[in-house]
Amino acid sequence: MLHQDVLMADIDVDQWRNAQSLLLRSAKSCRRLVVIHDGGRVVKFRHTEDTPVRGEVRTVEDPHRLARALYEANREAVDFVVVMERDAVDTYFARVQDSWNVEEDLDVFVRRTYATLDSFPDGIVTHPGPARETLGLQWRIGASHDDVAEAVADLVAPHSTVVLGVERDGELWASLIIDFDDAGRVTSITTADPSVVDVRGAHGELADRLTAWVESRGKVVSVVLLAERDAAEAFLATPAKRKRDLLNTLVAEGNATFRSISAEPVASQSSSGRPG
Amino acid sequence: MEYRERYLIDSMDRLAGMMRERGLRGIALFHNYPHPLGPGGSASGFTTPFNIVALEEKLDFVGFDIYSRKELYSHVRTIGSYVAATSRFPYIPEFIAGVWPWYLDPGDGGDEEFVTKAALMQGVKGFSRYMLVERDRWLDSPIRRDGRERAGKVEMLGRANAMLQAGDFVDLRREADVLLLANREYDRLEAAAVLVSFPGDFLETPSGFSEYPNALTVGEDTLGFDRPPQVAKSTWFSAFSDALTGSGYDHVLSDTALPPDRWRDRKVVVVTTLDYLDSATQEALVEYVRAGGTAVIGPKVPRLDSAMRPCGTLAEILDGAAPTAGGRLAECGAGRIFEVTDLDAVPGVVSGACDAAGVRRVTAGDPALDVVVHGLPGDPGVKVVFVANPTAAPIRAEIGIGARLDAVREIWDGRDVATDGKTVTELLPPYTIRIYRCVVGA
């Protein structure tokens, strides 16, 4: 989905930071209980903040049962437990690095780094949740890559722009403005620029204003989705198959604005009175 | 592990050679080591695979990049201090002015102002703002791609430049009498003892672990000693660092690759010593002390050299020395060596050593505050005092530098500050650094 030369320019740091906080979760920021073992002999048992933990062991027989037990015994102090076997981790990284191909889309490589964790079901174990959904930098959007690709194929017109935003207390709090080419690949990612477009207002008027601003720069906006902060979080937390229904509800209740050139009509709010 | 250092040095040497062969002689060539620590501050992780001293044999100067937020003050302090005490020209080759898009939780102009002052506080004498003008895959620079300015950032950077150019900043010298040395050979052992090698995490790979050795990834085998040296070295370095920080005895950081003739600028040298220590370093410590310096070592007196051969250079001095609280004290030539064996005794031994050596102690009124004094060689009547509140809470500072204060001016804000002649008292807001230019009396 990523073009090889994605432009990431003219980004507003506040909009960007807020979007990160909404959409991403970093394992590095989590409180982790780390167990490293060498063929079953524990060589490291430590909390990331050096907090005392319960249930220290010297051997690992069943890494899944151990990870679960350690998490249950320490859940107030731990976000997740990771149990790693040394050779497995070395092999995993070697496999990932050996698989890199300069011609390949970056997101294909990155997805593979996470998917490859599944090939080490006993060597790299996390709890709660599987390693590929726990380690590293995770999206918190309630949808898989394939779900997103499907939505893009359904909704995003070729050579068009998607405008996403979150409104909080009458102001645009986070935004992403994403350009797509005719193959549905992302060619540009940026944010609204508060220095040239007024970011105050309710989500409906913000949707109008941002659309007009993007289109004034010669682009075609095929999807606009702006929501109030709570509504945005609810939407992101909802599984992909239920997002459409939730979005309809949010729009109907006045908590979000959604417009799509190619989507089925959805009741929407807009200060300009434009149909959804 | 040493090869990694040489690998970087040799490649830079070859590149520099190519440039010089093609007419770039007479132009300073420098290199930027990346920021190696991130969260965690002074944990002695700034040596291997980096080696400023060795690389400056090939290039004109070497620095480290800084892209930290204000909450990582301890990291900025570590890097700034290490570069200032080690490099022949302390320079930050990439100094935060905006960041790359995949930097998580980026800061703002307030962070950049705080970090600017923090680096100057440590003794940094130059920097390259990275990047002044925004581009693809860089955000929040002071100048946008279309040439429009971010007024707040331009104002801050301009104020920094004006302050530096207005006086004699380049001539200021940090008056730090204490040198805390990271022990490079122990850091190499730590790197060799990593249980799993994680690749570089610039793009946040799934490991979630840093590629640099740390407590989560370093093995804990004792390797035949009574304690794992690769773990003990961090415990003791941190203990020495914590004892000095907030103590009022200003100190700078370097490592055991620093030529011993540069130790003579300091009254006290502090270094972690375990069962083994390079024989040349042992001899250098003894020579430094004989010439009048004060050394603080511990927790062990080494009896082996780096190759694990018997080496009693330090042991001959300490054996039979008088016991003290937490260790031993040996007089040697014109100086002395304090050995501290008990972790809890480190603050007391460090203070005792600094007092015995006549190290100035500044007062701040709160141990959370950091105070650094710079002076002008040849003009004892001027001091520039940096006071940092690196916390999220306001702190009332009562600053005394052991000299009569005739006049005080905060030179970033451009305002005169009242003084009773002995102290300056001000409430420092969270994440604030004040820069006081003081006229001091005899």
Side-chain angles (χ1 to χ4, degrees):
Chain A
M1 266 179 60
L2 280 181
H3 190 276
Q4 67 177 13
D5 296 318
V6 177
L7 181 69
M8 302 178 78
D10 307 321
I11 294 170
D12 177 78
V13 68
D14 294 325
Q15 300 279 308
W16 189 250
R17 184 192 311 115
N18 292 338
Q20 285 182 353
S21 71
L22 200 61
L23 301 174
L24 300 174
R25 191 208 68 182
S26 166
K28 274 171 126 175
S29 66
C30 295
R31 301 166 302 166
R32 293 160 278 160
L33 201 173
V34 176
V35 182
I36 302 176
H37 65 104
D38 202 339
R41 179 176 69 92
V42 172
V43 290
K44 179 64 66 175
F45 189 100
R46 190 182 173 102
H47 189 280
T48 48
E49 294 168 12
D50 203 17
T51 302
V53 291
R54 291 185 282 272
E56 184 167 357
V57 297
R58 295 195 188 281
T59 60
V60 175
E61 292 173 13
D62 183 336
H64 299 273
R65 187 154 32 136
L66 175 65
R68 192 164 49 245
L70 288 173
Y71 179 75
E72 292 303 327
N74 297 282
R75 61 158 63 217
E76 76 286 352
V78 167
D79 295 313
F80 70 85
V81 174
V82 56
V83 181
M84 299 185 288
E85 201 284 322
R86 292 182 68 190
D87 284 344
V89 177
D90 279 347
T91 305
Y92 161 76
F93 277 112
R95 189 175 300 179
V96 162
Q97 291 185 304
D98 287 346
S99 77
W100 182 68
N101 177 350
V102 68
E103 304 296 334
E104 199 174 46
D105 282 359
L106 179 60
D107 59 339
V108 172
F109 172 72
V110 172
R111 290 180 68 204
R112 190 166 58 246
T113 64
Y114 286 85
T116 304
L117 288 166
D118 289 347
S119 301
F120 299 86
D122 300 325
I124 304 173
V125 174
T126 58
H127 187 87
R132 71 177 294 171
E133 294 174 14
T134 304
L135 296 176
L137 198 58
Q138 296 284 334
W139 289 104
R140 297 193 308 175
I141 59 176
S144 67
H145 178 278
D146 289 346
D147 292 332
V148 173
E150 192 178 319
V152 168
D154 282 346
L155 297 172
V156 180
H159 277 302
S160 73
T161 298
V162 170
V163 175
L164 304 171
V166 176
E167 175 243 311
R168 189 178 77 168
D169 299 329
E171 193 163 321
L172 187 66
W173 178 77
S175 62
L176 290 174
I177 298 175
I178 307 171
D179 294 350
F180 290 83
D181 65 9
D182 55 0
R185 292 174 302 185
V186 173
T187 56
S188 170
I189 304 173
T190 186
T191 66
D193 183 351
S195 72
V196 296
V197 63
D198 185 357
V199 295
R200 290 165 301 176
H203 51 83
E205 37 181 319
L206 287 171
D208 290 343
R209 204 176 302 135
L210 291 179
T211 300
W213 174 61
V214 172
E215 290 179 344
S216 72
R217 298 156 78 195
K219 301 185 181 184
V220 172
V221 175
S222 64
V223 176
V224 182
L225 173 57
L226 264 92
E228 293 168 4
R229 172 93 184 261
D230 290 344
E233 290 185 349
F235 179 78
L236 292 170
T238 297
K241 65 177 77 156
R242 297 209 297 268
K243 286 189 190 297
R244 179 78 176 170
D245 289 340
L246 176 63
L247 182 58
N248 286 343
T249 303
L250 292 173
V251 170
E253 292 178 349
N255 300 125
T257 298
F258 174 72
R259 301 188 201 113
S260 167
I261 291 174
S262 52
E264 292 172 13
V266 171
S268 68
Q269 286 190 351
S270 162
S271 62
S272 69
R274 279 165 38 175
Chain B
M1 296 302 113
E2 185 178 355
Y3 173 71
R4 290 178 179 175
E5 299 169 28
R6 296 256 48 107
Y7 181 71
L8 295 175
I9 292 165
D10 289 349
S11 62
M12 289 294 137
D13 185 28
R14 292 172 71 177
L15 285 169
M18 285 189 247
M19 291 182 185
R20 290 174 180 134
E21 283 170 17
R22 285 154 181 79
L24 287 178
R25 297 184 187 281
I27 296 176
L29 298 180
F30 64 93
H31 179 58
N32 60 322
Y33 281 136
H35 61 119
L37 287 179
S42 183
S44 181
F46 44 81
T47 61
T48 195
F50 314 114
N51 194 326
I52 288 182
V53 170
L55 187 50
E56 285 190 350
E57 293 175 6
K58 311 298 182 185
L59 302 180
D60 296 293
F61 58 93
V62 178
F64 276 97
D65 298 339
I66 291 179
Y67 286 107
S68 304
R69 289 194 63 164
K70 59 189 182 298
E71 289 82 0
L72 293 183
Y73 170 77
S74 63
H75 167 66
V76 178
R77 181 182 63 203
T78 297
I79 292 303
S81 178
Y82 180 62
V83 169
T86 310
S87 172
R88 64 165 62 94
F89 177 51
Y91 186 85
I92 305 300
E94 289 189 21
F95 199 32
I96 183 170
V99 288
W100 52 95
W102 46 99
Y103 184 115
L104 291 180
D105 196 22
D108 57 21
D111 290 89
E112 294 182 12
E113 176 180 326
F114 183 82
V115 167
T116 294
K117 294 174 185 175
L120 293 172
M121 180 173 177
Q122 298 304 315
V124 165
K125 293 300 179 191
F127 44 73
S128 175
R129 294 290 187 179
Y130 204 101
M131 302 186 65
L132 282 181
V133 182
E134 219 158 279
R135 57 167 169 85
D136 177 23
R137 301 181 197 194
W138 203 265
L139 60 113
D140 209 36
S141 294
I143 302 170
R144 294 182 171 87
R145 283 201 310 158
D146 60 10
R148 289 181 299 129
E149 297 177 354
R150 289 194 166 83
K153 288 209 167 186
V154 169
E155 194 277 336
M156 187 277 287
L157 296 181
R159 188 186 289 216
N161 288 347
M163 182 188 75
L164 296 173
Q165 290 167 351
D168 32 35
F169 247 86
V170 72
D171 297 321
L172 290 176
R173 291 294 177 267
R174 182 171 176 177
E175 296 179 348
D177 288 330
V178 183
L179 176 64
L180 173 59
L181 293 176
N183 197 312
R184 180 172 289 269
E185 64 182 310
Y186 300 162
D187 289 349
R188 287 172 180 161
L189 174 64
E190 180 190 42
V194 165
L195 295 165
V196 187
S197 293
F198 297 108
D201 60 0
F202 191 51
L203 284 175
E204 183 111 17
T205 59
S207 73
F209 294 88
S210 171
E211 74 264 39
Y212 299 102
N214 60 81
L216 289 176
T217 58
V218 172
E220 298 174 14
D221 282 342
T222 61
L223 306 175
F225 299 103
D226 62 351
R227 71 191 88 180
Q230 69 276 15
V231 175
K233 67 99 195 174
S234 290
T235 303
W236 279 82
F237 180 88
S238 294
F240 286 130
S241 177
D242 291 346
L244 287 164
T245 301
S247 67
Y249 303 111
D250 192 18
H251 71 285
V252 287
L253 297 174
S254 190
D255 76 270
T256 45
L258 187 74
D261 61 351
R262 293 180 59 185
W263 303 358
R264 291 189 211 122
D265 297 337
R266 318 290 173 184
K267 293 180 179 174
V268 179
V269 169
V270 182
V271 61
T272 301
T273 55
L274 297 167
D275 301 79
Y276 68 94
L277 181 64
D278 177 63
S279 59
T281 303
Q282 295 195 43
E283 287 163 13
L285 277 167
V286 171
E287 195 177 315
Y288 165 77
V289 170
R290 282 209 170 104
T294 298
V296 178
I297 65 170
K300 305 192 83 171
V301 177
R303 298 185 183 275
L304 304 169
D305 65 12
S306 297
M308 306 302 147
R309 295 171 300 211
C311 179
T313 303
L314 274 171
E316 288 163 10
I317 307 296
L318 269 301
D319 285 349
T324 61
R328 288 183 291 184
L329 166 61
E331 304 288 337
C332 177
R336 62 190 73 83
I337 301 180
F338 290 80
E339 178 204 9
V340 53
T341 55
D342 176 10
L343 206 57
D344 291 337
V346 167
V349 171
V350 167
S351 284
C354 289
D355 285 342
V359 175
R360 175 181 59 197
R361 190 173 198 171
V362 299
T363 56
D366 191 304
L369 296 174
D370 221 1
V371 181
V372 171
V373 179
H374 293 245
L376 273 177
D379 187 354
V382 171
K383 304 292 179 194
V384 176
V385 181
F386 291 79
V387 183
N389 173 10
T391 75
I395 297 179
R396 177 159 295 279
E398 293 180 20
I399 308 301
I401 61 170
R404 192 181 78 232
L405 300 173
D406 289 341
V408 178
R409 184 167 178 82
E410 211 290 342
I411 57 176
W412 181 276
D413 297 334
R415 60 182 173 87
D416 292 326
V417 179
T419 174
D420 62 3
K422 292 183 198 164
T423 60
V424 168
T425 300
E426 282 206 315
L427 182 69
L428 264 63
Y431 297 112
T432 297
I433 297 177
R434 298 288 185 227
I435 309 172
Y436 301 113
R437 187 180 177 89
C438 306
V439 176
V440 302

